[in-house]
PDB file of all heavy atoms in Angstrom:
ATOM      1  N   LEU I 334     114.540-149.450   2.309  1.00  0.00           N
ATOM      2  CA  LEU I 334     113.898-148.607   3.316  1.00  0.00           C
ATOM      3  C   LEU I 334     113.265-149.455   4.414  1.00  0.00           C
ATOM      4  O   LEU I 334     113.277-149.075   5.587  1.00  0.00           O
ATOM      5  CB  LEU I 334     112.844-147.711   2.654  1.00  0.00           C
ATOM      6  CG  LEU I 334     113.389-146.497   1.901  1.00  0.00           C
ATOM      7  CD1 LEU I 334     112.272-145.836   1.092  1.00  0.00           C
ATOM      8  CD2 LEU I 334     114.003-145.494   2.872  1.00  0.00           C
ATOM      9  N   ALA I 335     112.710-150.603   4.039  1.00  0.00           N
ATOM     10  CA  ALA I 335     112.125-151.493   5.046  1.00  0.00           C
ATOM     11  C   ALA I 335     113.192-151.985   6.014  1.00  0.00           C
ATOM     12  O   ALA I 335     112.979-152.050   7.237  1.00  0.00           O
ATOM     13  CB  ALA I 335     111.429-152.672   4.366  1.00  0.00           C
ATOM     14  N   ASP I 336     114.347-152.326   5.478  1.00  0.00           N
ATOM     15  CA  ASP I 336     115.471-152.752   6.311  1.00  0.00           C
ATOM     16  C   ASP I 336     115.898-151.616   7.241  1.00  0.00           C
ATOM     17  O   ASP I 336     116.171-151.832   8.428  1.00  0.00           O
ATOM     18  CB  ASP I 336     116.625-153.172   5.395  1.00  0.00           C
ATOM     19  CG  ASP I 336     117.864-153.615   6.163  1.00  0.00           C
ATOM     20  OD1 ASP I 336     117.724-154.105   7.297  1.00  0.00           O
ATOM     21  OD2 ASP I 336     118.979-153.465   5.628  1.00  0.00           O
ATOM     22  N   LEU I 337     115.941-150.392   6.712  1.00  0.00           N
ATOM     23  CA  LEU I 337     116.335-149.246   7.532  1.00  0.00           C
ATOM     24  C   LEU I 337     115.343-149.027   8.667  1.00  0.00           C
ATOM     25  O   LEU I 337     115.735-148.788   9.817  1.00  0.00           O
ATOM     26  CB  LEU I 337     116.410-147.993   6.659  1.00  0.00           C
ATOM     27  CG  LEU I 337     116.921-146.735   7.369  1.00  0.00           C
ATOM     28  CD1 LEU I 337     118.413-146.861   7.639  1.00  0.00           C
ATOM     29  CD2 LEU I 337     116.636-145.494   6.530  1.00  0.00           C
ATOM     30  N   ALA I 338     114.055-149.087   8.364  1.00  0.00           N
ATOM     31  CA  ALA I 338     113.030-148.870   9.390  1.00  0.00           C
ATOM     32  C   ALA I 338     113.089-149.938  10.466  1.00  0.00           C
ATOM     33  O   ALA I 338     112.764-149.673  11.634  1.00  0.00           O
ATOM     34  CB  ALA I 338     111.647-148.837   8.744  1.00  0.00           C
ATOM     35  N   ASP I 339     113.506-151.139  10.106  1.00  0.00           N
ATOM     36  CA  ASP I 339     113.625-152.205  11.098  1.00  0.00           C
ATOM     37  C   ASP I 339     114.827-151.973  12.020  1.00  0.00           C
ATOM     38  O   ASP I 339     114.799-152.349  13.185  1.00  0.00           O
ATOM     39  CB  ASP I 339     113.770-153.555  10.395  1.00  0.00           C
ATOM     40  CG  ASP I 339     113.644-154.714  11.371  1.00  0.00           C
ATOM     41  OD1 ASP I 339     112.606-154.796  12.050  1.00  0.00           O
ATOM     42  OD2 ASP I 339     114.597-155.516  11.472  1.00  0.00           O
ATOM     43  N   ARG I 340     115.865-151.317  11.509  1.00  0.00           N
ATOM     44  CA  ARG I 340     117.059-151.062  12.309  1.00  0.00           C
ATOM     45  C   ARG I 340     116.954-149.783  13.136  1.00  0.00           C
ATOM     46  O   ARG I 340     117.569-149.686  14.199  1.00  0.00           O
ATOM     47  CB  ARG I 340     118.277-150.920  11.388  1.00  0.00           C
ATOM     48  CG  ARG I 340     118.631-152.121  10.556  1.00  0.00           C
ATOM     49  CD  ARG I 340     120.015-151.870   9.950  1.00  0.00           C
ATOM     50  NE  ARG I 340     120.277-152.689   8.774  1.00  0.00           N
ATOM     51  CZ  ARG I 340     121.447-152.746   8.173  1.00  0.00           C
ATOM     52  NH1 ARG I 340     122.466-152.031   8.633  1.00  0.00           N
ATOM     53  NH2 ARG I 340     121.627-153.495   7.119  1.00  0.00           N
ATOM     54  N   ALA I 341     116.233-148.799  12.629  1.00  0.00           N
ATOM     55  CA  ALA I 341     116.271-147.448  13.210  1.00  0.00           C
ATOM     56  C   ALA I 341     114.911-147.018  13.737  1.00  0.00           C
ATOM     57  O   ALA I 341     113.882-147.289  13.125  1.00  0.00           O
ATOM     58  CB  ALA I 341     116.762-146.450  12.168  1.00  0.00           C
ATOM     59  N   GLU I 342     114.925-146.339  14.887  1.00  0.00           N
ATOM     60  CA  GLU I 342     113.695-145.801  15.462  1.00  0.00           C
ATOM     61  C   GLU I 342     113.422-144.384  14.976  1.00  0.00           C
ATOM     62  O   GLU I 342     112.279-143.933  14.967  1.00  0.00           O
ATOM     63  CB  GLU I 342     113.791-145.796  16.999  1.00  0.00           C
ATOM     64  CG  GLU I 342     113.883-147.180  17.634  1.00  0.00           C
ATOM     65  CD  GLU I 342     115.320-147.709  17.665  1.00  0.00           C
ATOM     66  OE1 GLU I 342     116.242-146.940  17.312  1.00  0.00           O
ATOM     67  OE2 GLU I 342     115.500-148.877  18.020  1.00  0.00           O
ATOM     68  N   THR I 343     114.474-143.669  14.609  1.00  0.00           N
ATOM     69  CA  THR I 343     114.341-142.304  14.111  1.00  0.00           C
ATOM     70  C   THR I 343     114.818-142.268  12.668  1.00  0.00           C
ATOM     71  O   THR I 343     115.947-142.654  12.377  1.00  0.00           O
ATOM     72  CB  THR I 343     115.173-141.319  14.963  1.00  0.00           C
ATOM     73  OG1 THR I 343     114.701-141.351  16.312  1.00  0.00           O
ATOM     74  CG2 THR I 343     115.060-139.906  14.422  1.00  0.00           C
ATOM     75  N   LEU I 344     113.952-141.800  11.771  1.00  0.00           N
ATOM     76  CA  LEU I 344     114.260-141.735  10.345  1.00  0.00           C
ATOM     77  C   LEU I 344     114.459-140.270   9.965  1.00  0.00           C
ATOM     78  O   LEU I 344     113.566-139.454  10.160  1.00  0.00           O
ATOM     79  CB  LEU I 344     113.120-142.352   9.524  1.00  0.00           C
ATOM     80  CG  LEU I 344     112.765-143.796   9.902  1.00  0.00           C
ATOM     81  CD1 LEU I 344     111.519-144.252   9.137  1.00  0.00           C
ATOM     82  CD2 LEU I 344     113.938-144.736   9.624  1.00  0.00           C
ATOM     83  N   TRP I 345     115.639-139.957   9.443  1.00  0.00           N
ATOM     84  CA  TRP I 345     116.004-138.557   9.173  1.00  0.00           C
ATOM     85  C   TRP I 345     116.164-138.394   7.660  1.00  0.00           C
ATOM     86  O   TRP I 345     117.065-138.954   7.058  1.00  0.00           O
ATOM     87  CB  TRP I 345     117.308-138.215   9.884  1.00  0.00           C
ATOM     88  CG  TRP I 345     117.530-136.745  10.085  1.00  0.00           C
ATOM     89  CD1 TRP I 345     117.273-135.750   9.192  1.00  0.00           C
ATOM     90  CD2 TRP I 345     118.042-136.108  11.253  1.00  0.00           C
ATOM     91  NE1 TRP I 345     117.597-134.527   9.722  1.00  0.00           N
ATOM     92  CE2 TRP I 345     118.073-134.715  10.994  1.00  0.00           C
ATOM     93  CE3 TRP I 345     118.503-136.572  12.479  1.00  0.00           C
ATOM     94  CZ2 TRP I 345     118.549-133.796  11.914  1.00  0.00           C
ATOM     95  CZ3 TRP I 345     118.968-135.654  13.420  1.00  0.00           C
ATOM     96  CH2 TRP I 345     118.982-134.283  13.130  1.00  0.00           C
ATOM     97  N   MET I 346     115.286-137.605   7.041  1.00  0.00           N
ATOM     98  CA  MET I 346     115.316-137.429   5.593  1.00  0.00           C
ATOM     99  C   MET I 346     116.101-136.182   5.206  1.00  0.00           C
ATOM    100  O   MET I 346     115.882-135.104   5.750  1.00  0.00           O
ATOM    101  CB  MET I 346     113.898-137.307   5.029  1.00  0.00           C
ATOM    102  CG  MET I 346     113.063-138.562   5.088  1.00  0.00           C
ATOM    103  SD  MET I 346     111.618-138.476   3.993  1.00  0.00           S
ATOM    104  CE  MET I 346     110.686-137.122   4.724  1.00  0.00           C
ATOM    105  N   MET I 347     116.988-136.341   4.227  1.00  0.00           N
ATOM    106  CA  MET I 347     117.667-135.220   3.588  1.00  0.00           C
ATOM    107  C   MET I 347     117.716-135.545   2.098  1.00  0.00           C
ATOM    108  O   MET I 347     118.714-136.025   1.570  1.00  0.00           O
ATOM    109  CB  MET I 347     119.073-135.023   4.179  1.00  0.00           C
ATOM    110  CG  MET I 347     119.878-133.900   3.520  1.00  0.00           C
ATOM    111  SD  MET I 347     119.051-132.306   3.496  1.00  0.00           S
ATOM    112  CE  MET I 347     119.735-131.532   4.955  1.00  0.00           C
ATOM    113  N   VAL I 348     116.570-135.304   1.443  1.00  0.00           N
ATOM    114  CA  VAL I 348     116.440-135.647   0.027  1.00  0.00           C
ATOM    115  C   VAL I 348     116.167-134.384  -0.783  1.00  0.00           C
ATOM    116  O   VAL I 348     116.040-133.288  -0.236  1.00  0.00           O
ATOM    117  CB  VAL I 348     115.337-136.706  -0.191  1.00  0.00           C
ATOM    118  CG1 VAL I 348     115.716-138.013   0.496  1.00  0.00           C
ATOM    119  CG2 VAL I 348     113.982-136.227   0.332  1.00  0.00           C
ATOM    120  N   SER I 349     116.061-134.528  -2.096  1.00  0.00           N
ATOM    121  CA  SER I 349     116.140-133.375  -2.995  1.00  0.00           C
ATOM    122  C   SER I 349     114.913-132.489  -3.014  1.00  0.00           C
ATOM    123  O   SER I 349     115.028-131.264  -3.120  1.00  0.00           O
ATOM    124  CB  SER I 349     116.445-133.859  -4.417  1.00  0.00           C
ATOM    125  OG  SER I 349     115.443-134.775  -4.846  1.00  0.00           O
ATOM    126  N   ASP I 350     113.707-133.084  -2.909  1.00  0.00           N
ATOM    127  CA  ASP I 350     112.508-132.267  -3.066  1.00  0.00           C
ATOM    128  C   ASP I 350     111.280-132.991  -2.501  1.00  0.00           C
ATOM    129  O   ASP I 350     111.387-134.085  -1.937  1.00  0.00           O
ATOM    130  CB  ASP I 350     112.283-131.903  -4.544  1.00  0.00           C
ATOM    131  CG  ASP I 350     112.252-133.129  -5.464  1.00  0.00           C
ATOM    132  OD1 ASP I 350     111.969-134.250  -4.975  1.00  0.00           O
ATOM    133  OD2 ASP I 350     112.522-132.974  -6.664  1.00  0.00           O
ATOM    134  N   TYR I 351     110.114-132.360  -2.683  1.00  0.00           N
ATOM    135  CA  TYR I 351     108.870-132.922  -2.135  1.00  0.00           C
ATOM    136  C   TYR I 351     108.557-134.285  -2.751  1.00  0.00           C
ATOM    137  O   TYR I 351     108.119-135.205  -2.047  1.00  0.00           O
ATOM    138  CB  TYR I 351     107.725-131.953  -2.388  1.00  0.00           C
ATOM    139  CG  TYR I 351     106.360-132.535  -2.093  1.00  0.00           C
ATOM    140  CD1 TYR I 351     105.953-132.765  -0.781  1.00  0.00           C
ATOM    141  CD2 TYR I 351     105.487-132.868  -3.136  1.00  0.00           C
ATOM    142  CE1 TYR I 351     104.704-133.301  -0.501  1.00  0.00           C
ATOM    143  CE2 TYR I 351     104.237-133.407  -2.864  1.00  0.00           C
ATOM    144  CZ  TYR I 351     103.850-133.623  -1.544  1.00  0.00           C
ATOM    145  OH  TYR I 351     102.624-134.160  -1.283  1.00  0.00           O
ATOM    146  N   THR I 352     108.776-134.420  -4.056  1.00  0.00           N
ATOM    147  CA  THR I 352     108.485-135.694  -4.718  1.00  0.00           C
ATOM    148  C   THR I 352     109.290-136.821  -4.089  1.00  0.00           C
ATOM    149  O   THR I 352     108.774-137.917  -3.833  1.00  0.00           O
ATOM    150  CB  THR I 352     108.791-135.597  -6.221  1.00  0.00           C
ATOM    151  OG1 THR I 352     107.972-134.572  -6.808  1.00  0.00           O
ATOM    152  CG2 THR I 352     108.508-136.919  -6.917  1.00  0.00           C
TER     153      THR I 352
END
Side-chain angles (χ1 to χ4, degrees):
L334 283 170
D336 179 28
L337 185 72
D339 190 57
R340 298 192 201 187
E342 295 85 7
T343 299
L344 304 173
W345 200 319
M346 291 197 296
M347 178 55 95
V348 296
S349 58
D350 54 23
Y351 170 72
T352 300

